[in-house]
Amino acid sequence: RELHLRPLTDQQSRSLLGERYGERLAADAAESVLRSAGGNPLALLELGAGVVLEGTELPTVEERYAARIRALDPHTQTLLLLAAADDAAGLDVVAQAAGTLDLTVEALEPAETAGFVSVVDGTIRFKHPLVRSAAYKTAPFAHRQRAHLALASVIDRDTDPERRAWHRAAAAAGPDEETACELEQSAARASARSGYAAASRALERAAQLSPSAPDRARRLVDAAEDARLAGQRERALALLTTADVPSDAVPLRVKAARIRGVIEAQSGVPADAMRIFLDAAALIHPLDRRAALELVTLAQEAAGLGGERDAIVEFGTWGKRFEEPETVEERIMLGLVRGFGDLLLGDKLSAGPSLSRAADLGAATVDPQLLVWAATAAMFLGEDRRVFELLSRAVS
């Protein structure tokens, strides 16, 4: 069961402020707190405390926490910073990192007494996410850098390479290829377990740390692909815009175009997607015919979505440009491309064998995209039961 918490009413908010601060909170200041808090009880109490203890100027809740943290002993601030810099770090990791800075976890005690954190079962828990944020933002960059390096030094490279790489990246003040490579490897592991959003973030940071322009462009395009797979279409397009792919990097240009085309086909104008795919296919065909065939198949799919009959001749030409392939994957794609082209030209007699071959070969693959294309071929043949079977396999 779920209980959805709603903001306090105006009457409840006034009651809470009156109960806690009474006449210590002037009427005009109370009205300001009520407007800023929006019914959030934590905000009411913290903002009210800021006004009562520090004057009439109304701080934000985070600023209120930051001011209180700055009043702590520097060693306690450092312990809080270590805990804030890694939300997965247990007390043991923070203690080890503190040791590298010649500190002990005893310095955390004043923060516990102040109610900023509690230590339960070897875990450091912050009172509120804004406390963590304030503890981190209050520290100058040099202190944050030192904290991240301390944490990275005690995290095992073999058992938790992702966290170690992120701490090293957070500590980097400029280009760092070694850290960029670690982040790229971290992204590959995340992508392998379908953690595409995490992989994209790691690659974007790796690109920022890349000393060379080609590596930066490559990592940004890869980050865009993972963002697309995570459903972050707008972010993927933004990453492609910043990639600045060199004109002579043809495979990378084509990869970027494929990402843009897929997004356009799914959430934009299919006709534009078709053109993106076909232009990319023409660019890559001399270098990689399989990649060109896949792009033409994607273009055919987009043309079908957009009802683009003007491309009839172009698809017919592409169908003849490819030699008979050997792999199942390429034979499915070519069968669909040729069959679709013939079908648009009204030549059902020629279309039938090509489409039948593509549909039949669906039984020999487990790739979801190829199963969808085999099902499309079966759909053109009117074989509804086989369409259902192929698409069901694609889903599973």
Side-chain angles (χ1 to χ4, degrees):
R1 298 177 63 185
E2 295 182 0
L3 177 65
H4 296 280
L5 300 180
R6 296 178 176 83
L8 299 182
T9 65
D10 184 68
Q11 182 179 352
Q12 290 169 334
S13 297
R14 291 177 186 279
S15 175
L16 180 59
L17 281 179
E19 179 183 314
R20 179 60 63 93
Y21 302 114
E23 295 181 356
R24 291 182 297 158
L25 190 62
D28 57 343
E31 292 301 321
S32 181
V33 169
L34 287 167
R35 286 195 302 271
S36 298
N40 183 307
L42 177 65
L44 285 164
L45 296 178
E46 289 294 337
L47 295 178
V51 173
V52 169
L53 299 176
E54 298 168 17
T56 57
E57 185 176 348
L58 187 67
T60 66
V61 175
E62 188 175 34
E63 287 170 346
R64 167 73 184 141
Y65 285 141
R68 293 172 61 193
I69 289 170
R70 282 194 292 268
L72 294 171
D73 179 84
H75 291 171
T76 302
Q77 291 185 51
T78 299
L79 264 293
L80 274 178
L81 175 58
L82 286 169
D86 187 342
D87 58 4
L91 181 62
D92 56 339
V93 174
V94 171
Q96 292 176 54
T100 68
L101 302 175
D102 297 325
L103 297 174
T104 65
V105 291
E106 281 72 19
L108 194 62
E109 185 176 344
E112 284 189 275
T113 303
F116 290 128
V117 295
S118 60
V119 180
V120 181
D121 297 329
T123 302
I124 301 174
R125 297 178 182 173
F126 281 84
K127 172 184 178 180
H128 189 275
L130 286 175
V131 178
R132 178 187 295 278
S133 175
Y136 189 79
K137 292 179 181 178
T138 298
F141 172 72
H143 292 192
R144 298 199 303 269
Q145 184 182 44
R146 188 173 59 185
H148 283 294
L149 288 173
L151 288 163
S153 70
V154 300
I155 294 174
D156 189 89
R157 180 196 295 265
D158 297 323
T159 59
D160 204 346
E162 281 79 11
R163 280 173 61 214
R164 181 179 183 276
W166 272 110
H167 281 300
R168 292 192 61 191
D176 184 340
E177 180 60 22
E178 183 180 349
T179 301
C181 286
E182 285 191 32
L183 283 171
E184 191 168 18
Q185 294 164 7
S186 170
R189 288 187 290 269
S191 183
R193 58 176 182 266
S194 301
Y196 300 117
S200 180
R201 289 193 300 271
L203 284 165
E204 183 180 16
R205 181 60 177 144
Q208 294 168 353
L209 296 176
S210 300
S212 75
D215 283 336
R216 180 178 184 277
R218 173 179 58 79
R219 285 163 175 157
L220 283 172
V221 171
D222 288 344
E225 172 66 353
D226 280 319
R228 180 191 72 79
L229 290 168
Q232 301 170 347
R233 294 171 181 171
E234 293 301 323
R235 182 167 172 273
L237 292 174
L239 288 166
L240 290 177
T241 300
T242 59
D244 193 21
V245 179
S247 58
D248 59 347
V250 173
L252 192 59
R253 285 178 59 196
V254 168
K255 182 173 184 176
R258 185 187 186 282
I259 297 168
R260 198 179 300 276
V262 170
I263 292 173
E264 192 67 38
Q266 292 176 343
S267 58
V269 181
D272 292 347
M274 180 197 74
R275 180 46 50 200
I276 291 171
F277 289 136
L278 289 178
D279 288 348
L283 194 61
I284 199 65
H285 183 262
L287 302 175
D288 188 340
R289 296 197 175 188
R290 188 194 186 287
L293 178 56
E294 182 181 1
L295 287 162
V296 173
T297 310
L298 285 166
Q300 165 262 306
E301 187 175 54
L305 289 171
E308 288 298 307
R309 297 186 62 83
D310 294 341
I312 291 174
V313 175
E314 199 165 1
F315 280 113
T317 302
W318 271 109
K320 295 173 183 176
R321 289 181 70 178
F322 295 107
E323 299 175 357
E324 197 63 33
E326 295 181 0
T327 68
V328 169
E329 292 80 3
E330 292 175 80
R331 288 163 65 191
I332 290 175
M333 290 188 282
L334 185 57
L336 186 56
V337 167
R338 287 178 175 171
F340 182 73
D342 290 336
L343 203 59
L344 286 178
L345 289 168
D347 187 357
K348 297 181 181 179
L349 193 63
S350 298
S354 296
L355 294 171
S356 292
R357 181 177 61 177
D360 291 343
L361 288 170
T365 184
V366 294
D367 184 290
Q369 178 67 80
L370 290 168
L371 285 165
V372 170
W373 285 337
T376 302
M379 181 186 69
F380 285 134
L381 295 168
E383 299 177 359
D384 295 344
R385 178 172 291 279
R386 180 142 61 162
V387 172
F388 174 76
E389 292 170 351
L390 289 167
L391 291 180
S392 294
R393 285 184 58 210
V395 170
S396 66

